[in-house]
């Protein structure tokens, strides 16, 4: 099929490469300025379009590019992380519609930072869906293909992104192939019941602030959800910012009286911190004063506390 590429991220970039490799015709690329955590930039997409000798455009409001997309005469569009919601005037340009890849278990987990919210909420799996887009709606539309990643209290957001990076191009390729044979194919119609959906909103770096008075499992989930490519869960130690990159949940080995944030145990490769319940968070990797370090290099006494 003739395919228009709309959006950003390395996942979309790799999807375009795979679609081209599998003999689909990529006919144009529309992108926008990358977010700070992205590893592929708008310049990368520009160079890809130049290499393939196809039209390229970049900008914000997609309606400003309606003539650009119309002239490409594509059968279908593939979109990931474009800025803003796509209106009907744009969807109408493509006989097979616009496919979006979304890292959330639709119809739940619509919106932003869905993978981080799923970890924070203690979900047991994260969905990856390719669905047809509906005008002026967020992550709605018929699901064409889907996969799941089982997660637990050891799963980190970095692991989830690696899985999505690996799976999305092939999942999108599968959806395009299915629709090329049967334009009316639907794996699942998304429920219209508001009770079935969960709208997720963006997270900011300051949302990674650790409250040590909370239960250890909640703190660990925050740590796991705030890792790379995000800026990390953090607290303070001796008036300086301490970023926690890696931790684990541990039960107390003895009955103790300790304030939340108290250093309970110091070993060569970890430090245990008291929380607001009977469990501990074990710290394996931290960043302090701009340097990565084993926690035992930072904490030297059980009188030490984080807050």
């Amino acid at each position: 099929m003739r395919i228009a590429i709309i959006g950003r991220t390395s996942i979309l970039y790799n999807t375009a490469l795979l679609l081209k490799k599998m003999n689909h015709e990529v006919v144009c690329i529309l992108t926008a300025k990358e977010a700070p955590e992205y590893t592929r930039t708008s310049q990368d997409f520009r160079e890809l379009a130049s290499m393939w000798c196809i039209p390229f455009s970049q900008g914000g409001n997609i309606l400003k590019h309606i003539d650009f997309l119309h002239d490409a005469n594509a059968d279908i569009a593939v979109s990931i992380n474009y800025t803003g919601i796509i209106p009907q005037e744009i969807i109408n340009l493509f006989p097979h519609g616009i496919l979006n890849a979304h890292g959330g278990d639709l119809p739940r987990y619509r919106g932003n930072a869905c993978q981080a919210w799923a970890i924070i909420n203690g979900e047991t799996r994260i969905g990856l869906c390719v669905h047809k887009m509906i005008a002026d709606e967020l992550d709605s539309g018929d699901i064409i293909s889907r996969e799941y990643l089982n997660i637990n209290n050891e799963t980190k957001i970095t692991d989830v992104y690696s899985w999505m990076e690996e799976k999305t191009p092939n999942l999108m390729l599968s959806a395009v192939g299915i629709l090329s044979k049967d334009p009316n194919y639907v794996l699942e119609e998304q429920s219209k019941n508001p009770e079935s959906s969960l709208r997720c909103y963006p997270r900011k770096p300051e949302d990674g602030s650790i409250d040590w008075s909370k239960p250890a499992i909640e703190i660990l989930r925050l740590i796991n959800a705030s890792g790379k490519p995000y800026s990390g869960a953090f607290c303070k130690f001796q008036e300086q910012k301490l970023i926690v990159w890696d931790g684990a949940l541990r039960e107390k080995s003895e009955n103790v009286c300790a304030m939340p944030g108290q250093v309970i145990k110091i070993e060569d490769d970890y430090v245990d911190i008291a929380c607001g319940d009977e469990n501990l968070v074990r710290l394996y990797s931290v960043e302090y004063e701009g340097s990565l370090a084993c926690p035992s290099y930072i904490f030297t006494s059980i009188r030490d506390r984080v807050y």
Side-chain angles (χ1 to χ4, degrees):
M1 282 207 286
R2 291 171 58 84
I3 302 172
I5 300 297
I6 302 174
R8 309 175 294 169
T9 76
S10 60
I11 293 177
L12 181 62
Y13 186 94
N14 293 336
T15 297
L17 292 177
L18 181 61
L19 291 169
K20 179 80 170 178
K21 178 181 178 181
M22 300 309 292
N23 298 317
H24 290 286
E25 186 179 357
V26 178
V27 295
C28 69
I29 295 175
L30 170 62
T31 190
K33 182 174 176 55
E34 64 280 356
E37 66 268 20
Y38 290 176
T39 57
R40 285 290 182 181
T41 67
S42 56
Q43 181 61 28
D44 291 322
F45 283 96
R46 181 186 297 274
E47 291 173 0
L48 188 63
S50 177
M51 181 174 67
W52 290 345
C53 299
I54 60 175
F56 170 87
S57 190
Q58 177 180 345
N61 189 335
I62 196 168
L63 284 173
K64 294 181 178 179
H65 304 274
I66 191 168
D67 292 337
F68 169 83
L69 293 171
H70 174 270
D71 293 344
N73 193 31
D75 301 310
I76 195 169
V78 168
S79 177
I80 300 176
N81 281 92
Y82 193 74
T83 55
I85 295 176
I86 295 179
Q88 190 65 46
E89 296 96 316
I90 299 297
I91 295 176
N92 288 343
L93 298 175
F94 307 101
H96 289 74
I98 301 179
L99 294 179
N100 176 55
H102 176 71
D105 189 10
L106 297 175
R108 288 180 62 77
Y109 286 95
R110 291 174 172 165
N112 304 89
C114 294
Q115 307 84 19
W117 282 117
I119 291 173
I120 289 169
N121 291 342
E123 300 287 359
T124 58
R125 65 181 186 177
I126 289 176
L128 175 59
C129 300
V130 172
H131 66 97
K132 283 190 172 182
M133 302 184 79
I134 294 179
D136 301 317
E137 294 188 19
L138 186 68
D139 300 325
S140 299
D142 295 335
I143 298 170
I144 308 300
S145 56
R146 176 170 55 201
E147 286 200 26
Y148 287 104
L149 172 69
N150 292 328
I151 65 173
N152 55 39
N153 291 328
E154 296 180 357
T155 304
K156 297 174 174 57
I157 192 68
T158 311
D159 304 326
V160 177
Y161 271 89
S162 295
W163 173 75
M164 290 175 54
E165 189 94 29
E166 175 188 356
K167 294 294 183 180
T168 301
N170 282 294
L171 200 62
M172 189 69 83
L173 175 67
S174 173
V176 169
I178 290 169
L179 292 176
S180 68
K181 297 175 182 177
D182 181 4
N184 297 315
Y185 174 86
V186 175
L187 175 65
E188 179 184 331
E189 292 184 6
Q190 286 202 56
S191 171
K192 300 295 185 180
N193 184 353
E195 296 296 322
S196 301
S197 65
L198 180 66
R199 172 66 162 95
C200 298
Y201 285 85
R203 293 182 58 78
K204 294 184 176 182
E206 55 264 36
D207 297 331
S209 177
I210 300 172
D211 179 356
W212 292 99
S213 67
K214 289 189 174 183
I217 186 60
E218 293 186 20
I219 294 171
L220 178 62
R221 289 171 181 165
L222 178 64
I223 293 169
N224 290 342
S226 304
K228 300 294 185 181
Y230 301 114
S231 54
F234 64 92
C235 56
K236 283 191 175 182
F237 174 60
Q238 295 181 349
E239 302 299 328
Q240 299 296 319
K241 186 175 184 179
L242 178 84
I243 302 175
V244 180
W245 291 115
D246 190 15
L249 183 69
R250 289 293 181 268
E251 294 182 357
K252 292 176 182 175
S253 59
E254 59 182 351
N255 295 324
V256 301
C257 292
M259 296 298 294
Q262 183 79 51
V263 173
I264 296 295
K265 188 176 183 180
I266 302 173
E267 295 290 343
D268 289 342
D269 57 348
Y270 68 83
V271 167
D272 287 341
I273 306 291
C275 304
D277 62 356
E278 68 278 6
N279 295 318
L280 306 167
V281 168
R282 179 164 291 180
L283 307 185
Y284 287 115
S285 176
V286 300
E287 183 176 336
Y288 190 64
E289 295 183 332
S291 298
L292 286 173
C294 178
S296 59
Y297 295 161
I298 307 299
F299 302 103
T300 59
S301 169
I302 59 172
R303 294 181 179 276
D304 289 336
R305 293 183 185 180
V306 289
Y307 57 96

